Amino acid sequence: MKLFPRSLFGQMLLALVAGMAVSLTLTVWFLMHDRARQFDHFMGVHVAQRVVNLVAILDGSTPDERNRLIRIFNTTPYRHMVLDQPWAILNSGMSQQMQTFTSTLSQELGPDYPVQILFLGKAGNATGMAPADPRDLGGRFTALRAVIQVRLGDGTVLTLSQSFPAPHASETYLIIGSLILMGLTIALLTGWVVRRLTLPLRALANAANSLVLNLDQPPVPVTGSAEVASAASAFNAMQKELKKLLETRSQALAGVSHDLRLPITRLRLRAERIPDPELKAEIAVDLDEMDAMIATTLDFLRAGRSSEKQVKLNLAGLLELVSTEMEEAGATVKMSGAIPARILTRPIALRRCLTNLMDNARRYGGGQIDVDVSSTASTVEIRIGDHGPGIPTAETDRVFEPYVRLDTSRSRDTGGTGLGLSIARAIARQEGGEIRLESRPGGGLLAILSLPAYS
Amino acid sequence: MKRLLVVDDDKALRKLLGDYLGENGYEVVLVGDGEAMRQELARTAFDLIILDLMLPGEDGLTLCRDMRARSSVPILMLTARGDELDRIIGLEMGADDYLAKPFNPRELLARIRNILRRSQESPGTGAAPRQLIFAGWTLDLSARHLIDADGIVNPLSNGEFKLLQVLAEHPRTILSRDQLMDVLSGREALPYDRTIDVMISRLRRCLRDDARDPLLIRTIRNEGYMLSTQVEQRA
């Protein structure tokens, strides 16, 4: 069942086309069959009446007149009559068609004239009769021929060969052809309609997939059938609600973080009055830590929606600045590669992004940070590698989530609030770039920050 | 004794500030909103106003702009957000400096001292310049950018920026390490002697000034540093 399509488009198309093919085939068969039956009946009656007329004229004539009349009535190759043939003895059975024709003839002629059919079929196959005329078989139409024997009133046997046109073969092709054309037209139209139905569904699925990455993505176009359109607008409404919910949460978090700043300010002033210098210093450290946590949380909530303006920035200068800070914090920084002269970016945001990445390398990466910069016409890539234990490939996505720290301990001794990478990535994305993590071949973690190049 | 006017809507913080600044040798008047601030200003003169950004009624930015139009009293803005935009707007509204809550009390003292010294050196100059231009470089004080002749921003650390700002505010004047340290103070006491030398050498590299034969930031042996070029101030 591998051939069975999985997509809605394929399934709908298959159902419609298969259904149409079956119904069209049945229609053609029925039409053709019915047509043949009607033709047989019509021609049977027609030929029978002709034979009745001929028999009536010939039976009422003298033998001399008969020969003269037969010469007149014989229109080779369509009709040929002879009087000198013996009454044939049939040794093979008659076909259904022949039986029907015989009974039609007997009915028309009445009981006075015995009648039998010697042959009924394609013209030219009647052995011993008039030769086939090439015109019969030109392909334009096939003629049928009936060979009939009738015993006249005086016992004379009249043998008559009558041709009549068979149904036009080309007409049959025409019917089949037009039906195929109709089928194709309907299939194409169906394909188009189904595609129109399923395309908005695809757009909806894509939007749902990318919603996780970007809650601010433009709404899904409300197009297509009423059902799909209403699904799209329901999706848009959901996105709006999600955004509102998230914003409310963010605002609450921002509000708390923000409001905590006032008591911390007061505590700092109060701590100044503590006489014990050791206690005073300890409280100051705690307050600094609280301040830092609040600042990082606010940074995280603001990351990626900075109001800072983009400027042309000396990237080498920024890398040097951040490297110097890392070295002041005890790391060794090795810089390599060709740094492009400038980059269009938000300096404070990008500095935060680079600081977070390099700080991770410093903290978890064994103290040596390797920074390599390369660029193409469209992208600048800053690769920050460390010499630490790295992280399992399965975790490279999870570490970007806020408050996720792989060392499970929430202790700030190992450093960080678990927001650093989330902030860095939000910034990278606002700058039109991306951050990905890879394992280094020689061990350690590689953070790759790609940014659009200045053009 | 210098007279300070503190405008903040939080009563507890106001009192704490009053006590702390009082203990550090200032005469402090405390008010809770813009209305009371105007009344105090109408009554007596002050050397510095410490103004909270978020106030009930008229907010700090409006008061700051309004006051700048009428007097040249230095203003130190207190913001609760520490947001980049608030800082820039605050400086553009004519504040002399800003400090984000929660601030370190000692940094507040350092800022107050700096502002008071600056206003003493050049009294009545009104709004501080927002751009300092020298030797093809522009120091944008609002955006805190050092911009080269090609319009490219060269990133500086906060300390480096402050240091360069002080040097550019006093061109062709020798500034001692003590004076420069004072500018950078407010942080915990680190061996600043060394840090200032490190920052100066990084500044020289940024300004593409030859470290062995510097033309812009010159070392005056046993005295300090000097920015030896003309500086144009732009509002």
Side-chain angles (χ1 to χ4, degrees):
Chain A
M1 270 327 265
K2 265 196 175 163
L3 283 176
F4 192 75
R6 283 182 50 101
S7 72
L8 180 61
F9 174 69
Q11 287 180 7
M12 287 177 84
L13 202 60
L14 182 72
L16 283 164
V17 168
M20 201 174 58
V22 168
S23 71
L24 276 183
T25 310
L26 283 173
T27 307
V28 167
W29 178 81
F30 179 75
L31 261 181
M32 299 305 287
H33 183 77
D34 192 53
R35 202 169 102 98
R37 241 165 30 113
Q38 284 199 0
F39 191 83
D40 284 353
H41 176 72
F42 173 73
M43 282 319 288
V45 172
H46 180 73
V47 172
Q49 280 169 351
R50 281 292 187 83
V51 172
V52 169
N53 288 342
L54 282 168
V55 166
I57 292 170
L58 288 174
D59 201 30
S61 312
T62 61
D64 283 350
E65 276 174 333
R66 281 181 189 166
N67 284 328
R68 195 173 61 87
L69 286 169
I70 284 175
R71 276 200 304 278
I72 294 167
F73 287 137
N74 272 0
T75 50
T76 312
Y78 301 112
R79 187 188 297 134
H80 188 77
M81 290 183 283
V82 282
L83 290 169
D84 48 3
Q85 295 274 323
W87 187 259
I89 308 297
L90 294 173
N91 44 17
S92 58
M94 287 194 294
S95 70
Q96 177 70 41
Q97 207 179 9
M98 280 165 96
Q99 282 173 15
T100 316
F101 193 34
T102 308
S103 70
T104 311
L105 273 171
S106 308
Q107 234 170 7
E108 295 288 327
L109 285 164
D112 296 341
Y113 300 99
V115 64
Q116 69 173 351
I117 298 168
L118 301 184
F119 175 82
L120 183 68
K122 279 226 177 100
N125 286 357
T127 42
M129 300 304 299
D133 190 303
R135 274 178 298 171
D136 289 354
L137 302 165
R140 298 211 11 235
F141 70 91
T142 16
L144 287 176
R145 187 200 298 262
V147 181
I148 304 155
Q149 282 191 325
V150 183
R151 204 182 284 276
L152 301 180
D154 60 351
T156 313
V157 174
L158 168 71
T159 306
L160 179 147
S161 161
Q162 172 79 45
S163 292
F164 49 90
H168 258 291
S170 59
E171 231 172 84
T172 310
Y173 294 139
L174 210 67
I175 291 174
I176 294 175
S178 73
L179 282 173
I180 288 174
L181 190 72
M182 185 168 96
L184 275 176
T185 314
I186 294 177
L188 279 174
L189 275 172
T190 309
W192 177 70
V193 166
V194 173
R195 178 119 291 221
R196 250 179 67 88
L197 269 173
T198 52
L199 268 185
L201 278 177
R202 176 141 298 268
L204 199 60
N206 289 342
N209 276 329
S210 57
L211 187 68
V212 189
L213 296 178
N214 179 16
L215 210 54
D216 295 321
Q217 69 185 5
V220 185
V222 180
T223 54
S225 64
E227 289 87 348
V228 174
S230 94
S233 62
F235 179 85
N236 287 341
M238 182 195 74
Q239 180 177 344
K240 219 188 246 172
E241 283 302 311
L242 268 177
K243 215 171 123 182
K244 213 159 79 186
L245 184 72
L246 214 70
E247 266 164 20
T248 315
R249 292 278 168 100
S250 298
Q251 269 166 13
L253 191 54
V256 170
S257 304
H258 182 261
D259 289 350
L260 276 172
R261 297 191 149 197
L262 185 59
I264 290 177
T265 313
R266 289 199 297 245
L267 273 173
R268 276 196 169 147
L269 285 162
R270 290 189 212 279
E272 287 297 321
R273 326 198 62 145
I274 296 173
D276 179 353
E278 207 173 307
L279 181 63
K280 185 169 147 181
E282 280 166 7
I283 289 179
V285 168
D286 283 346
L287 287 171
D288 283 349
E289 202 171 290
M290 284 169 73
D291 186 15
M293 283 195 278
I294 289 165
T296 322
T297 304
L298 286 172
D299 274 347
F300 167 66
L301 294 173
R302 278 196 215 108
R305 52 191 75 193
S306 165
S307 52
E308 196 186 351
K309 280 196 203 97
Q310 285 197 321
V311 298
K312 286 180 282 180
L313 183 79
N314 178 348
L315 182 61
L318 181 62
L319 284 168
E320 199 205 300
L321 177 62
V322 179
S323 301
T324 308
E325 282 170 355
M326 291 300 128
E327 282 172 343
E328 276 168 11
T332 334
V333 182
K334 208 178 85 201
M335 194 82 71
S336 63
I339 305 171
R342 70 194 74 172
I343 186 168
L344 192 68
T345 191
R346 297 173 178 80
I348 296 170
L350 186 63
R351 182 174 160 193
R352 161 52 55 91
C353 177
L354 280 171
T355 303
N356 286 6
L357 292 178
M358 284 174 80
D359 214 35
N360 274 350
R362 179 182 70 78
R363 259 204 280 253
Y364 306 108
Q368 180 170 339
I369 311 170
D370 301 329
V371 181
D372 181 66
V373 185
S374 59
S375 58
T376 65
S378 62
T379 318
V380 181
E381 236 180 40
I382 303 166
R383 305 161 76 88
I384 298 164
D386 65 34
H387 296 265
I391 56 172
T393 317
E395 305 276 22
T396 46
D397 269 339
R398 208 167 66 86
V399 289
F400 284 106
E401 287 167 26
Y403 299 110
V404 167
R405 282 148 45 98
L406 292 184
D407 52 3
T408 57
S409 73
R410 274 258 173 205
S411 148
R412 283 180 52 86
D413 293 346
T414 41
T417 50
L419 288 174
L421 276 176
S422 315
I423 293 173
R425 175 139 93 175
I427 292 171
R429 286 186 175 163
Q430 195 190 15
E431 298 306 304
E434 186 52 278
I435 296 176
R436 59 181 200 277
L437 297 177
E438 283 176 12
S439 290
R440 291 183 93 185
L445 186 69
L446 191 62
I448 302 164
L449 166 64
S450 51
L451 294 166
Y454 182 83
S455 51
Chain B
M1 198 186 270
K2 297 286 184 190
R3 301 191 74 230
L4 311 182
L5 179 61
V6 174
V7 190
D8 194 301
D9 60 325
D10 187 76
K11 204 175 163 189
L13 180 66
R14 213 156 59 212
K15 187 170 175 309
L16 284 163
L17 273 175
D19 293 349
Y20 181 71
L21 294 173
E23 281 162 23
N24 283 281
Y26 294 103
E27 188 188 332
V28 190
V29 176
L30 306 167
V31 293
D33 56 29
E35 184 61 40
M37 181 188 97
R38 285 186 216 281
Q39 285 171 9
E40 279 301 326
L41 282 173
R43 206 134 42 95
T44 49
F46 289 91
D47 296 294
L48 174 71
I49 301 169
I50 299 170
L51 181 60
D52 189 34
L53 183 75
M54 305 259 274
L55 286 173
E58 274 182 290
D59 66 86
L61 285 180
T62 317
L63 289 172
C64 182
R65 188 182 43 198
D66 187 47
M67 202 137 46
R68 203 29 92 234
R70 293 192 276 150
S71 90
S72 61
V73 185
I75 299 168
L76 174 64
M77 279 281 236
L78 294 182
T79 70
R81 293 176 215 169
D83 192 39
E84 196 57 19
L85 201 66
D86 287 351
R87 187 180 63 74
I88 292 174
I89 291 172
L91 292 178
E92 282 183 357
M93 289 300 168
D96 293 73
D97 204 352
Y98 86 103
L99 199 56
K101 288 180 192 170
F103 48 80
N104 187 320
R106 267 162 290 170
E107 176 150 17
L108 176 66
L109 280 184
R111 300 279 179 116
I112 291 171
R113 268 203 303 274
N114 273 334
I115 298 173
L116 288 176
R117 193 188 48 225
R118 257 189 288 163
S119 73
Q120 224 164 15
E121 281 166 6
S122 52
T125 47
R130 284 203 295 278
Q131 285 191 331
L132 302 174
I133 296 156
F134 59 93
W137 294 92
T138 303
L139 201 59
D140 186 323
L141 301 182
S142 310
R144 295 174 83 81
H145 285 160
L146 172 65
I147 304 161
D148 67 16
D150 295 330
I152 298 175
V153 172
N154 285 258
L156 296 177
S157 74
N158 290 341
E160 288 158 9
F161 188 88
K162 265 192 207 170
L163 205 57
L164 185 56
Q165 179 181 350
V166 174
L167 288 167
E169 277 169 350
H170 305 89
R172 292 181 172 149
T173 310
I174 301 169
L175 296 172
S176 71
R177 280 192 179 74
D178 282 345
Q179 280 173 303
L180 295 175
M181 256 164 61
D182 198 29
V183 172
L184 299 169
S185 64
R187 288 139 216 274
E188 296 308 312
L190 288 168
Y192 274 122
D193 276 333
R194 166 107 184 82
T195 312
I196 281 178
D197 291 344
V198 170
M199 281 199 258
I200 291 284
S201 71
R202 233 194 74 79
L203 274 180
R204 281 183 180 142
R205 217 161 39 225
C206 273
L207 296 167
R208 282 144 233 176
D209 205 9
D210 189 351
R212 269 163 295 178
D213 181 24
L215 294 172
L216 275 174
I217 304 177
R218 288 178 38 193
T219 312
I220 313 297
R221 195 178 282 268
N222 297 328
E223 286 189 70
Y225 296 101
M226 178 178 83
L227 186 71
S228 62
T229 180
Q230 204 176 336
V231 176
E232 184 196 335
Q233 298 197 341
R234 255 184 228 168

